[in-house]
Amino acid sequence: RALCAQASQALLQGDYARARDLYRSALEIDEGNRGAYYNLGLSLIKLTAYAEAVDALRSAVQVDSNYALAWYTLGQVYTDRLGKYDLAVMSMRRVVDLRPGEALGHIGLGQAYVAARDFAAAASAYRRAIALDSLDAEAYFGLGVTRETQGEAEVAEDLYLQAVQLDPVHAKAYFRLGGLRRQRGDVAGAKRFLKLFERMRPRAARISRLKSQLLSEPDNAWLHHQLGTLYSKFDLPLHAIRSLQKGLDLHSDFAPGYNNLGNVYFRHGRIEEALAMYEAAIHYDSSYAIAHNNLGSVWLLKQRLDAAQNAFKRALQLQPNYAEAQHGLALVYGQRGDRAKERQALERYERMRGD
């Protein structure tokens, strides 16, 4: 266990050679550790040792033939790195058999079929993924690639537009849209989409890295929280809510998770849900000044001035130089018509900002 913990840390830190060596050492002690084989495979993929990665992943599924995640990753390697499309399809079919109600396996199967140039089967797999999860942008993108390859440019464009509507940082969809617009002579449209591709590519890369980590650690609440916070930063509320909630499902007493989920709700006008999240954050951590301040903002919006004042004062008790809470308190006094206290609070606020 100690070796696996060290190896996992090395993997997360990007020290793939050390992770590889530590997982191999762990497997010398415990040859039946499916997770160690899987993570060894991930390390080897990062080191571009794809044949060795396949060996490790196949060992994982030999230990546990129902290990869907290892089958999925094996299918990806066969599709994207080794060009063994029959084996890719077989692996992804196994994922779908094991988890028929999850879109991810159907998307992987669609990708394998596209690589094998079986476009009818690919389209069927992507449509099944959309039926299972109508918010999964990757399914629309994959179906778009299938249709574009079949010469159905207009249908493909509509699907790519659906993909970026669901996921506005889907860089590959912008690139495809730029290419389609260029083909039909729309130079201005092509430039616009290709500029969006260049702008979104770094964001998409950050999201992709976290998603890759979650493939190896699907029950890591902190990674779900990080992904949700990143989605929130990029103004993707549906994705943010889903990821943050998943993190809370795994770690139900994580106060910052409730607070950040409350922030997403608040920014998008879902005030009652924001209120419930801020109260939950305080329930799990009564000394969480930021949550008290955010709760004060909700009460202020609802014109519950006594509750707002108490929340802002509590935030200031916990964090005496909290400028935002001091400003909230000034707003409460202003709405009460107490100009003297409002002025004093604003003066304190300005001093805090200066500090």
Side-chain angles (χ1 to χ4, degrees):
R1 286 187 179 182
L3 282 171
C4 283
Q6 293 173 40
S8 296
Q9 188 65 27
L11 184 60
L12 289 173
Q13 291 173 346
D15 191 347
Y16 304 121
R18 183 167 184 267
R20 174 200 61 200
D21 295 342
L22 287 166
Y23 282 124
R24 282 175 171 165
S25 297
L27 286 163
E28 288 176 2
I29 299 169
D30 181 6
E31 294 182 358
N33 188 330
R34 68 168 202 169
Y37 280 118
Y38 175 74
N39 286 324
L40 173 60
L42 292 184
S43 304
L44 291 164
I45 289 168
K46 293 294 186 180
L47 294 166
T48 70
Y50 302 119
E52 293 177 74
V54 165
D55 289 341
L57 293 166
R58 289 189 65 82
S59 294
V61 298
Q62 284 170 4
V63 171
D64 181 359
S65 62
N66 295 327
Y67 195 0
L69 194 56
W71 282 113
Y72 177 81
T73 307
L74 192 57
Q76 282 191 314
V77 176
Y78 284 139
T79 302
D80 298 336
R81 303 300 179 184
L82 297 179
K84 297 184 177 182
Y85 305 129
D86 290 345
L87 290 173
V89 168
M90 182 200 72
S91 299
M92 291 303 183
R93 278 180 174 166
R94 182 64 178 148
V95 177
V96 169
D97 289 343
L98 290 166
R99 297 184 179 180
E102 294 183 14
L104 182 65
H106 294 277
I107 292 170
L109 183 58
Q111 291 166 343
Y113 277 131
V114 167
R117 304 194 68 77
D118 186 344
F119 301 118
S124 177
Y126 285 127
R127 282 195 293 267
R128 181 59 184 154
I130 291 168
L132 289 167
D133 186 353
S134 62
L135 298 178
D136 196 317
E138 198 61 37
Y140 292 95
F141 175 76
L143 187 55
V145 171
T146 303
R147 292 306 190 206
E148 184 182 352
T149 306
Q150 292 176 300
E152 300 177 55
E154 289 185 10
V155 176
E157 182 167 337
D158 287 342
L159 289 162
Y160 295 146
L161 287 170
Q162 284 180 278
V164 297
Q165 184 177 8
L166 289 167
D167 181 0
V169 299
H170 199 301
K172 291 185 290 185
Y174 288 117
F175 183 80
R176 290 275 185 169
L177 283 164
L180 288 175
R181 291 297 176 91
R182 185 163 48 201
Q183 285 175 22
R184 71 173 191 233
D186 181 0
V187 176
K191 284 184 177 178
R192 179 166 64 87
F193 282 122
L194 291 173
K195 280 184 179 178
L196 284 167
F197 163 69
E198 291 295 341
R199 196 171 85 193
M200 297 303 173
R201 184 163 52 171
R203 298 181 181 185
R206 291 174 66 186
I207 288 171
S208 179
R209 280 195 295 272
L210 280 172
K211 285 183 172 180
S212 294
Q213 288 178 270
L214 279 166
L215 279 176
S216 64
E217 295 187 78
D219 294 332
N220 188 320
W222 175 240
L223 288 176
H224 285 286
H225 176 73
Q226 284 184 296
L227 183 59
T229 302
L230 195 57
Y231 277 135
S232 177
K233 181 180 178 180
F234 295 156
D235 196 26
L236 296 171
L238 294 177
H239 295 72
I241 289 167
R242 181 186 293 188
S243 294
L244 290 168
Q245 188 59 63
K246 178 63 175 176
L248 290 170
D249 290 343
L250 294 165
H251 187 179
S252 61
D253 60 351
F254 186 50
Y258 290 103
N259 181 73
N260 288 348
L261 186 52
N263 290 342
V264 178
Y265 286 137
F266 187 81
R267 281 198 296 272
H268 292 86
R270 296 168 63 171
I271 303 305
E272 295 302 325
E273 289 161 293
L275 176 65
M277 292 301 103
Y278 294 142
E279 288 181 331
I282 291 166
H283 171 76
Y284 287 110
D285 184 357
S286 60
S287 64
Y288 195 5
I290 294 172
H292 284 284
N293 176 72
N294 291 338
L295 183 61
S297 296
V298 173
W299 288 131
L300 184 61
L301 187 66
K302 292 169 69 70
Q303 291 294 296
R304 295 277 301 277
L305 298 184
D306 287 344
Q309 180 173 321
N310 290 337
F312 289 131
K313 282 188 172 181
R314 180 58 180 153
L316 285 163
Q317 287 173 353
L318 293 165
Q319 192 172 320
N321 292 320
Y322 196 169
E324 190 176 342
Q326 187 64 56
H327 187 259
L329 197 56
L331 292 175
V332 171
Y333 291 139
Q335 292 204 20
R336 288 188 189 282
D338 191 334
R339 301 305 172 196
K341 285 188 176 180
E342 179 188 21
R343 186 171 57 254
Q344 290 174 356
L346 286 172
E347 287 172 355
R348 292 192 191 100
Y349 166 68
E350 292 297 338
R351 286 198 297 274
M352 288 176 184
R353 288 184 66 197
D355 294 341

